[in-house]
Structure formats: C-alpha cells, structure tokens
Amino acid sequence: MRKYLAFLFMCFSFGTFLYASTDDDKWDYSILVSQIDSVQAPYLSGNSVIFTADKNARHVGIALDYENFSTIHSFSKKVKKDMDDNVVDSFYFYVLNLPKNVQEFKYRLVIDGLWTMDPLNSNRVFDPKSNLMLSVFDAGRDIPAVTEEKGRGKVHFVYRGESGQHIRLGGSFTNWDSWIYEMKEVSAGLYVLDLTLPPGTYQYAYYSGIKSFVDRTNPERCYTDEGKEASLLVVK
C-alpha cells in the first residue's frame, strides 16, 4: 500500500508538449514519462527513444541527423517528490517518437549552448563530412512494411494477411475496377504491388473475391461516393 501511495505522490514537471496531439497519445506519453526513473543511456521503449541528462545543466537539447541537425529539440525536466512533497531528485529527459523508417540515427546534444556527444552513450562514430564525433543510436527493431510513396510517384502498396490469397487493388485510379491489378505474395502473408501514379489524391481498397477492405497499414481513411469506407493516399 505504501508503495502505491508513493507512486501516487510521485510527480514530474515537463516543458512544451510536442510529442502527441490526441488524448490517447498524451496518455501513452504520460506512461512513458512516469517510467523514466533515473539518468541512464538512451533506450528504446516501444517506438520511442528515451534520452536523459544530468540535472546540473541549465538547458539540454538534441539535434538529429535525419533532420540535418537543423532543429534543436529541448529536453524537459522531471522532478521527483516524496510523500511529503519534498524534492528527492530531478533530471532532464526527452522522448523521441521515432519515425517509422528510421532504424539507426546519429545525433548531438546541446548542453548550455555547447554542442557535444551524449556522455551517457558510448556508441559513437566519426563523421568526415562535419569533422565531428557523433553519438549513434541503433533502434534494433524490425521496420514493418507499409503502403507509402517511394518518390517520383512510385507507390509501394502493402497488404498483410493469410498466405495463399488472391489480393487485388482497385481505386479511383482504376475507376474502381479491381481486376486490373493483382498483388504479389513475396513472403508468407505479405503481398505487395508497386504502381506509379501522377500527383493527386486517391481513394483505394483491397479486394478478395467480391469483398473489399481498407489498407490497415495506412491510417488515412475516407468514404467513396457510394458511402463505402476506403483508404486515402496523397501522391506529391
């Protein structure tokens, strides 16, 4: 019971909330932050990377190579208190919502205005382009295949389901004719199709027999003129 009460009295403070925009995301973020207990090497939690830094700095930020180090993301400060509301510890933290296609990335910290490597991360590499040592984080995760535009209008469509099916693709780009394109099963239960489309906004769905269903690897949804739910895709 005492441990439970201590958990209820544990509190933290953090800066501008940039991680999420929905109530569910905010709840997930709060759980992640509540689980950060001390200063330690960066680690992966779900699809998020948790960074921490010592409390003695006035400001801590992080810049990422896949953003060309163009943005410095500020750490927030977590303050831990006991049951009597006394401060028992504090430290900086940053929760990075890792982009779906990023497996390994390089980064630098900015501590009180000085660019530096992460002292808590021993994984480092020399970057000849910048002539600097950079900290490296390898997420070590499997990146699931999803429907996405690969560039220049080439769209990689993905369906995951049972093996041995005949999955077809139809949409506004085929005038909803689902018999033009059949997807190829490249591994057990994984079906793909590459299609080049001109820039525009498209509705589409997958078909098995006469049944149609949305693309579950693509969260964007819409309704067709007939009122059926379909997937939405924007080709730039």
Side-chain angles (χ1 to χ4, degrees), residues 174-185:
T174 66
N175 199 25
W176 292 104
D177 184 346
S178 68
W179 297 97
I180 298 176
Y181 299 112
E182 182 169 343
M183 304 182 73
K184 181 180 179 181
E185 186 174 12

Side-chain angles (χ1 to χ4, degrees), residues 63-73 115:
L64 310 160
D65 67 339
Y66 59 81
E67 295 178 338
N68 296 317
F69 301 101
S70 60
T71 302
I72 298 175
H73 303 276
W115 290 73

Side-chain angles (χ1 to χ4, degrees), residues 11 16 27 30 33 43-44 59 65 82-83 87 112 144 154-155 168 170 180 188 207 211 217 224 233 235:
C11 67
T16 305
W27 174 248
S30 297
V33 173
Y43 62 93
L44 187 69
H59 177 268
D65 67 339
D82 61 18
M83 296 177 61
V87 175
D112 291 338
K154 183 179 180 180
V155 181
R168 310 186 313 278
I180 298 176
Y207 293 80
K211 181 182 178 181
T217 75
T224 66
L233 176 69
V235 178

Side-chain angles (χ1 to χ4, degrees), residues 49 51 61-75 94-99 102 104-110 115 134-137:
V49 183
F51 297 91
I62 185 171
L64 310 160
D65 67 339
Y66 59 81
E67 295 178 338
N68 296 317
F69 301 101
S70 60
T71 302
I72 298 175
H73 303 276
S74 294
F75 280 47
Y94 181 74
V95 178
L96 172 64
N97 191 13
L98 199 60
V102 174
E104 179 183 280
F105 63 91
K106 304 176 184 65
Y107 68 96
R108 298 203 87 200
L109 296 185
V110 185
W115 290 73
L134 304 175
S135 296
V136 181
F137 185 87

Side-chain angles (χ1 to χ4, degrees), residues 26-99:
K26 290 178 180 179
W27 174 248
D28 291 341
Y29 177 86
S30 297
I31 293 176
L32 279 175
V33 173
S34 69
Q35 294 171 343
I36 306 172
D37 192 59
S38 62
V39 176
Q40 57 188 295
Y43 62 93
L44 187 69
S45 179
N47 289 317
S48 299
V49 183
I50 312 301
F51 297 91
T52 57
D54 189 79
K55 62 185 177 183
N56 293 325
R58 294 187 301 274
H59 177 268
V60 181
I62 185 171
L64 310 160
D65 67 339
Y66 59 81
E67 295 178 338
N68 296 317
F69 301 101
S70 60
T71 302
I72 298 175
H73 303 276
S74 294
F75 280 47
S76 301
K77 197 167 189 179
K78 179 173 180 177
V79 177
K80 298 170 61 177
K81 297 183 179 181
D82 61 18
M83 296 177 61
D84 297 320
D85 204 36
N86 297 313
V87 175
V88 295
D89 196 11
S90 66
F91 52 84
Y92 288 96
F93 73 92
Y94 181 74
V95 178
L96 172 64
N97 191 13
L98 199 60

